[in-house]
Amino acid sequence: MATTDYSSEIANLRQTYKAILDVSDLDNLRDEVAELTEQASSPTFWDDPDSAQKTSAKLSHKQGTLEKLEKFGERIDDAELLVEMSQDEGDADSLDEADRDIKKLRDQLAELEISTLLNHEYDERSAVVTVRSGAGGDDATDWAQMLTRMYVRWAENRGYNVQELDTSYAEGAGIKSATIQINAPYAYGTLSVEAGTHRLVRISPFDNQGRRQTSFAAVEVVPLIESTDHVDIDENDLRIDVYRSSGPGGQSVNTTDSAVRITHVPTGVVVSMQNEKSQIQNREAAMRVLQSRLLDLKRKEEAAQKKELAGDIKASWGDQMRSYVTHPYQMVKDLRTGYEVNNPSAVFDGDLDGLIEAGIRWRKEQEMAEEADA
């Protein structure tokens, strides 16, 4: 039976930790924590509860990251000392404890490594996620609802707050589309790699002959707009429609025309909102999402223009990005990274971390390759 080479394990941990420190600006992180702490100690801090909650969440996240970065070296030293003492004394139980500590450190370093890759302009933001069904009847609309539930479960498993902003129910099963807001630091940076087309292959529960069906759904992820952002929207460019909110099966859930649909005519971007109680609240929520989408559209147009100027135009990495198969075999495979999971049920229940982390690493590799070619 092969024995663990603990010297190599410890050396690898130190190498990974050093690489993370090399790309982490600890001084800047300390300054950010100090600034946010000062804001949180202001007597008027809670006068604006929404802003205070966002600042508190951001402070908690950055404090946690800073503490991990500052303490990790000591934790690696402690694990190495425990290994040496256990081996010297022939203490198998202590050596098992050290082995568990090393595995835990390895997993936590992997998480820290991912967080250092989330350094784009809007990565710190909360995320607005929209899922739309593709062609395929009940199978497609059911698939869109499964995907929406998957992201809700992922967020809930991490203790994140989730708001349902809008749901358009299909006449049969499932939904035509749904928009949810996930409120957590770096939710956008983390989930942005989920944007694209998701394909499901399964035995259709809606086919009385039990045939296999392929369904598609599109996922859009945009950063939540903040008061400091500036997106010019001419009121003359907006078409605003109001209608009656509805629930599953087209049944009315209220008796007033409180739902709002806003169309930004120049871009064709459409935002619907019906989950608030009043038309005013739905309009305000719809405008926030519209600004988020226009901000994201502007960012993508600028990125595409840069690629065009560089003479290197590539298809969007988000298209046809993942395949979920439950028949004739069980597998979820990311078509960009090659990362595979042989338990689709766990993925549908929100176990997405491995797929997301592989996507973030893949995106960084693509960016580095593009920079090298420029």
Side-chain angles (χ1 to χ4, degrees), residues 9 17-18 29 41 59 67 82 99 101 111 124 174 179 189 198 224 226 230 253 260 285 293 300 311 354 372-373:
E9 291 280 350
Y17 177 53
K18 181 180 182 303
L29 185 56
S41 62
L59 174 59
E67 183 177 350
L82 183 57
D99 190 72
D101 287 347
E111 292 179 9
E124 290 188 5
T179 299
H198 296 241
L224 181 66
E226 293 185 356
H230 181 67
V253 295
V260 174
R293 288 183 180 167
K300 289 177 179 176
D373 292 340

Short mmCIF file of all heavy atoms in Angstrom, two decimals, residues 9 17-18 29 41 59 67 82 99 101 111 124 174 179 189 198 224 226 230 253 260 285 293 300 311 354 372-373:
data_model
loop_
_atom_site.label_atom_id
_atom_site.label_comp_id
_atom_site.label_asym_id
_atom_site.label_seq_id
_atom_site.Cartn_x
_atom_site.Cartn_y
_atom_site.Cartn_z
N GLU A 9 3.30 16.96 -0.32
CA GLU A 9 1.99 17.57 -0.10
C GLU A 9 2.16 18.97 0.49
O GLU A 9 1.52 19.94 0.04
CB GLU A 9 1.16 16.71 0.85
CG GLU A 9 0.71 15.38 0.26
CD GLU A 9 -0.51 15.55 -0.63
OE1 GLU A 9 -1.11 16.64 -0.64
OE2 GLU A 9 -0.86 14.58 -1.33
N TYR A 17 -0.04 28.44 -2.27
CA TYR A 17 -0.27 29.60 -1.41
C TYR A 17 0.56 30.80 -1.87
O TYR A 17 0.05 31.93 -1.94
CB TYR A 17 0.07 29.22 0.02
CG TYR A 17 -0.07 30.35 1.02
CD1 TYR A 17 -1.24 31.09 1.12
CD2 TYR A 17 0.98 30.67 1.89
CE1 TYR A 17 -1.37 32.12 2.04
CE2 TYR A 17 0.85 31.69 2.82
CZ TYR A 17 -0.32 32.41 2.89
OH TYR A 17 -0.44 33.43 3.80
N LYS A 18 1.81 30.56 -2.24
CA LYS A 18 2.67 31.65 -2.71
C LYS A 18 2.13 32.24 -4.01
O LYS A 18 2.13 33.47 -4.21
CB LYS A 18 4.10 31.15 -2.93
CG LYS A 18 5.08 32.24 -3.40
CD LYS A 18 6.47 31.71 -3.60
CE LYS A 18 7.42 32.84 -4.02
NZ LYS A 18 6.97 33.54 -5.24
N LEU A 29 -6.32 45.18 -0.16
CA LEU A 29 -7.41 44.50 0.53
C LEU A 29 -7.55 45.02 1.96
O LEU A 29 -8.67 45.24 2.45
CB LEU A 29 -7.17 42.99 0.53
CG LEU A 29 -8.27 42.10 1.10
CD1 LEU A 29 -9.60 42.34 0.39
CD2 LEU A 29 -7.87 40.62 1.00
N SER A 41 -19.13 51.84 10.90
CA SER A 41 -19.16 52.39 12.26
C SER A 41 -19.81 53.77 12.33
O SER A 41 -19.94 54.34 13.41
CB SER A 41 -17.72 52.48 12.81
OG SER A 41 -16.94 53.37 12.02
N LEU A 59 -18.14 43.83 3.44
CA LEU A 59 -17.13 43.86 4.49
C LEU A 59 -16.86 42.46 5.03
O LEU A 59 -15.69 42.06 5.21
CB LEU A 59 -17.60 44.78 5.62
CG LEU A 59 -16.72 44.81 6.88
CD1 LEU A 59 -15.31 45.25 6.55
CD2 LEU A 59 -17.35 45.74 7.93
N GLU A 67 -8.48 37.40 6.21
CA GLU A 67 -8.07 36.52 7.31
C GLU A 67 -7.51 35.20 6.79
O GLU A 67 -6.49 34.70 7.29
CB GLU A 67 -9.26 36.26 8.24
CG GLU A 67 -8.90 35.43 9.46
CD GLU A 67 -10.07 35.25 10.41
OE1 GLU A 67 -11.11 35.93 10.22
OE2 GLU A 67 -9.95 34.43 11.33
N LEU A 82 2.51 18.91 12.83
CA LEU A 82 1.73 17.76 13.29
C LEU A 82 2.19 16.49 12.58
O LEU A 82 2.28 15.42 13.20
CB LEU A 82 0.25 18.01 13.04
CG LEU A 82 -0.72 16.93 13.54
CD1 LEU A 82 -0.55 16.70 15.05
CD2 LEU A 82 -2.17 17.31 13.23
N ASP A 99 -3.48 14.27 8.08
CA ASP A 99 -3.89 13.98 6.70
C ASP A 99 -5.20 14.69 6.37
O ASP A 99 -5.35 15.27 5.29
CB ASP A 99 -4.05 12.46 6.53
CG ASP A 99 -4.23 12.06 5.08
OD1 ASP A 99 -3.25 12.13 4.31
OD2 ASP A 99 -5.37 11.71 4.70
N ASP A 101 -6.31 17.40 7.84
CA ASP A 101 -6.01 18.84 7.80
C ASP A 101 -5.43 19.25 6.45
O ASP A 101 -5.79 20.29 5.89
CB ASP A 101 -5.03 19.21 8.92
CG ASP A 101 -5.68 19.21 10.29
OD1 ASP A 101 -6.93 19.16 10.35
OD2 ASP A 101 -4.94 19.25 11.30
N GLU A 111 -10.41 27.05 -3.30
CA GLU A 111 -11.44 28.10 -3.25
C GLU A 111 -10.81 29.48 -3.28
O GLU A 111 -11.29 30.39 -3.97
CB GLU A 111 -12.28 27.94 -1.98
CG GLU A 111 -13.16 26.70 -1.96
CD GLU A 111 -13.95 26.58 -0.69
OE1 GLU A 111 -13.94 27.55 0.11
OE2 GLU A 111 -14.56 25.53 -0.46
N GLU A 124 -17.59 41.67 -8.33
CA GLU A 124 -18.01 41.76 -6.93
C GLU A 124 -19.52 41.87 -6.77
O GLU A 124 -20.03 41.71 -5.66
CB GLU A 124 -17.37 42.97 -6.26
CG GLU A 124 -15.88 42.86 -6.04
CD GLU A 124 -15.35 44.01 -5.20
OE1 GLU A 124 -16.17 44.83 -4.71
OE2 GLU A 124 -14.13 44.11 -5.04
N GLY A 174 -43.90 23.66 -16.71
CA GLY A 174 -42.72 24.50 -16.65
C GLY A 174 -42.95 25.97 -16.90
O GLY A 174 -44.04 26.51 -16.72
N THR A 179 -36.65 35.17 -14.05
CA THR A 179 -35.53 36.04 -13.68
C THR A 179 -35.43 36.05 -12.16
O THR A 179 -36.40 36.32 -11.46
CB THR A 179 -35.74 37.48 -14.19
OG1 THR A 179 -35.82 37.45 -15.62
CG2 THR A 179 -34.57 38.37 -13.78
N GLY A 189 -19.58 37.48 -10.59
CA GLY A 189 -18.31 36.94 -11.09
C GLY A 189 -18.32 35.42 -11.11
O GLY A 189 -17.81 34.79 -12.03
N HIS A 198 -27.78 25.64 -22.48
CA HIS A 198 -27.71 24.40 -21.72
C HIS A 198 -28.61 23.36 -22.39
O HIS A 198 -29.79 23.64 -22.65
CB HIS A 198 -28.15 24.63 -20.28
CG HIS A 198 -27.27 25.57 -19.51
ND1 HIS A 198 -26.59 25.19 -18.38
CD2 HIS A 198 -26.97 26.89 -19.72
CE1 HIS A 198 -25.90 26.22 -17.92
NE2 HIS A 198 -26.12 27.26 -18.72
N LEU A 224 -25.78 43.15 -11.07
CA LEU A 224 -26.82 44.03 -10.56
C LEU A 224 -26.37 45.48 -10.65
O LEU A 224 -25.24 45.81 -10.25
CB LEU A 224 -27.15 43.66 -9.11
CG LEU A 224 -28.26 44.48 -8.45
CD1 LEU A 224 -29.60 44.22 -9.13
CD2 LEU A 224 -28.34 44.16 -6.97
N GLU A 226 -25.92 49.33 -9.73
CA GLU A 226 -25.80 50.05 -8.46
C GLU A 226 -25.95 51.54 -8.72
O GLU A 226 -25.84 52.01 -9.85
CB GLU A 226 -24.44 49.75 -7.81
CG GLU A 226 -24.32 48.31 -7.34
CD GLU A 226 -23.03 48.04 -6.58
OE1 GLU A 226 -22.21 48.97 -6.48
OE2 GLU A 226 -22.85 46.91 -6.11
N HIS A 230 -23.65 54.44 -14.29
CA HIS A 230 -24.32 55.45 -15.11
C HIS A 230 -24.63 54.84 -16.48
O HIS A 230 -23.73 54.55 -17.25
CB HIS A 230 -23.43 56.69 -15.28
CG HIS A 230 -24.08 57.76 -16.11
ND1 HIS A 230 -25.20 58.45 -15.69
CD2 HIS A 230 -23.78 58.23 -17.35
CE1 HIS A 230 -25.55 59.32 -16.62
NE2 HIS A 230 -24.71 59.21 -17.63
N VAL A 253 -53.39 35.96 -10.42
CA VAL A 253 -53.03 35.98 -9.00
C VAL A 253 -53.42 37.29 -8.35
O VAL A 253 -53.32 37.45 -7.15
CB VAL A 253 -51.52 35.73 -8.80
CG1 VAL A 253 -51.14 34.35 -9.24
CG2 VAL A 253 -50.67 36.78 -9.52
N VAL A 260 -45.52 44.79 -15.23
CA VAL A 260 -44.95 45.80 -16.12
C VAL A 260 -43.98 45.15 -17.10
O VAL A 260 -43.18 44.28 -16.72
CB VAL A 260 -44.19 46.88 -15.31
CG1 VAL A 260 -43.48 47.86 -16.25
CG2 VAL A 260 -45.16 47.63 -14.41
N ALA A 285 -38.35 47.85 -10.24
CA ALA A 285 -37.55 46.63 -10.34
C ALA A 285 -37.17 46.36 -11.79
O ALA A 285 -36.04 45.96 -12.10
CB ALA A 285 -38.32 45.45 -9.76
N ARG A 293 -28.93 45.02 -17.75
CA ARG A 293 -28.75 44.38 -19.05
C ARG A 293 -28.10 45.32 -20.06
O ARG A 293 -27.26 44.90 -20.86
CB ARG A 293 -30.09 43.87 -19.58
CG ARG A 293 -30.59 42.66 -18.79
CD ARG A 293 -31.88 42.10 -19.34
NE ARG A 293 -32.29 40.94 -18.54
CZ ARG A 293 -33.49 40.39 -18.61
NH1 ARG A 293 -34.41 40.88 -19.43
NH2 ARG A 293 -33.79 39.34 -17.85
N LYS A 300 -20.14 44.09 -23.33
CA LYS A 300 -19.88 43.09 -24.36
C LYS A 300 -19.55 43.74 -25.71
O LYS A 300 -18.69 43.24 -26.46
CB LYS A 300 -21.09 42.16 -24.50
CG LYS A 300 -21.26 41.22 -23.32
CD LYS A 300 -22.51 40.37 -23.46
CE LYS A 300 -22.65 39.41 -22.29
NZ LYS A 300 -23.90 38.63 -22.35
N GLY A 311 -8.18 42.02 -34.68
CA GLY A 311 -8.25 41.09 -35.80
C GLY A 311 -8.50 39.67 -35.39
O GLY A 311 -8.15 38.73 -36.10
N GLY A 354 -17.91 22.45 -8.70
CA GLY A 354 -16.85 21.92 -9.55
C GLY A 354 -16.95 22.43 -10.98
O GLY A 354 -15.94 22.82 -11.59
N ALA A 372 -1.75 36.99 -24.96
CA ALA A 372 -0.50 36.57 -25.57
C ALA A 372 -0.52 36.74 -27.08
O ALA A 372 0.51 37.05 -27.71
CB ALA A 372 -0.21 35.10 -25.22
N ASP A 373 -1.72 36.58 -27.69
CA ASP A 373 -1.85 36.71 -29.15
C ASP A 373 -1.93 38.17 -29.59
O ASP A 373 -1.71 38.49 -30.77
CB ASP A 373 -3.10 35.98 -29.64
CG ASP A 373 -2.97 34.47 -29.50
OD1 ASP A 373 -1.82 34.00 -29.39
OD2 ASP A 373 -4.01 33.78 -29.47
#
